[in-house]
Amino acid sequence: KQWYQRRVAITAGMARGPKKHLKRLNAPKKWMLDKLSGKFAPRPSAGPHKLRESMPLLVVIRNKLKYALTYNETKKVTMSRAIKVDGKVRTDMCFPTGFMDVITIDKTGEYFRMLFDVKGRFLIHRIKKDEASYKLCGVKSLSTAAKGIPVLVTHDGRTIRYPDPLIKVHDTIKLDIESGKILDHIKFEPGNLAYITGGQNCGRIGIITHKEKHPGSFDIVHVKDSVGHTFATRLSNVFPIGKGKPAWISLPRGKGIRLSIAEERDRKLAAKAKEM
């Protein structure tokens, strides 16, 4: 009897399975949710992107695109099979969308790509139909599967068999969404254009200048933007998006150039003066 009571006491304080809730104040800041619209936030389902590196479809449809006003309206939109992510219909409104994902709404003929703005927040960037047919994927690992088949794993959880032997870790591949085949690839090397996907410089775009190796620590990459500002970040935060200066995707407004506080203020004052 004592043993049973002790067991009940231990299991009473244990969590049963994965967490199913997310407090609003604990939601990623890059979602840009307000504090006072409720106690909870939608928790992304398990999927191709990590919880804190993704945004659920509910936030995209209701809070960003304003195609729904409430939770239930959003549910009706997704359950009507109106939303596609990377060419596949997604009815789960908590499905996690992440960097470079293509969101398609056939009924309105709209296409969007998930990017970051220069302040590190998620940006739903409108694109054209021909650009929505492909996406860029970062190469996370290379390995050999059963029967000696070489495989490549991308940043969005895809496993691609028999990749080009020239493709290495940290490179970027251009993937045809419909067929799932690799169209081309970008080497991670100085002189190529890169998008920063994490850290204090998240959302900035620039040319890779050089890489510093730090054995036992994090390798550091130095990047120079089109205005001439230089900054450094970890190797894992750098995502090549073009061979040389041209980008393989359309870039958001501002072209990934972060302004200083003074420059931002001057731009706002100039815009106000034009309006007057």
Side-chain angles (χ1 to χ4, degrees), residues 193-255:
L193 191 69
Y195 211 115
I196 309 303
T197 60
Q200 291 295 313
N201 294 301
C202 184
R204 297 180 76 175
I205 298 171
I207 301 288
I208 300 168
T209 54
H210 67 282
K211 183 177 86 169
E212 293 176 5
K213 288 190 177 181
H214 296 276
S217 184
F218 298 99
D219 289 353
I220 301 297
V221 177
H222 291 261
V223 181
K224 186 176 185 179
D225 66 17
S226 58
V227 183
H229 300 149
T230 57
F231 54 94
T233 188
R234 288 182 182 178
L235 174 63
S236 58
N237 295 334
V238 182
F239 191 107
I241 58 166
K243 291 180 180 177
K245 288 186 178 180
W248 285 10
I249 57 168
S250 61
L251 300 179
R253 187 173 57 187
K255 309 295 181 188

Side-chain angles (χ1 to χ4, degrees), residues 46-189:
H49 299 278
K50 293 180 180 178
L51 184 144
R52 304 201 75 82
E53 293 171 9
S54 64
M55 182 189 281
L57 274 178
L58 174 58
V59 176
V60 175
I61 297 164
R62 183 185 63 185
N63 299 61
K64 304 298 178 185
L65 299 179
K66 312 286 187 188
Y67 276 133
L69 295 174
T70 62
Y71 179 96
N72 282 327
E73 280 185 17
T74 313
K75 197 169 193 175
K76 287 170 184 171
V77 170
T78 55
M79 292 305 287
S80 67
R81 303 178 70 81
I83 308 295
K84 289 182 182 177
V85 179
D86 289 344
K88 289 188 179 179
V89 172
R90 299 294 179 185
T91 56
D92 176 14
M93 62 181 177
C94 288
F95 182 82
T97 61
F99 184 64
M100 285 291 166
D101 283 0
V102 175
I103 298 171
T104 306
I105 306 174
D106 286 330
K107 287 185 178 178
T108 59
E110 290 178 305
Y111 306 89
F112 304 94
R113 193 185 297 281
M114 296 291 287
L115 298 174
F116 294 112
D117 66 7
V118 289
K119 294 188 177 179
R121 304 172 299 204
F122 271 116
L123 174 72
I124 300 164
H125 176 59
R126 193 182 296 269
I127 56 175
K128 293 180 180 175
K129 186 177 180 179
D130 55 345
E131 194 189 329
S133 64
Y134 67 88
K135 69 180 290 191
L136 303 184
C137 298
V139 179
K140 287 293 175 186
S141 67
L142 292 164
S143 59
T144 307
K147 299 182 181 177
I149 296 170
V151 294
L152 166 156
V153 179
T154 64
H155 82 284
D156 60 350
R158 295 170 190 265
T159 302
I160 300 170
R161 294 161 29 119
Y162 299 109
D164 187 328
L166 296 175
I167 299 172
K168 304 296 178 190
V169 177
H170 305 304
D171 291 353
T172 298
I173 59 169
K174 184 178 180 180
L175 187 88
D176 181 56
I177 289 174
E178 192 176 349
S179 65
K181 292 183 178 177
I182 298 172
L183 302 174
D184 203 348
H185 70 280
I186 305 165
K187 298 293 292 177
F188 184 96
E189 59 189 14

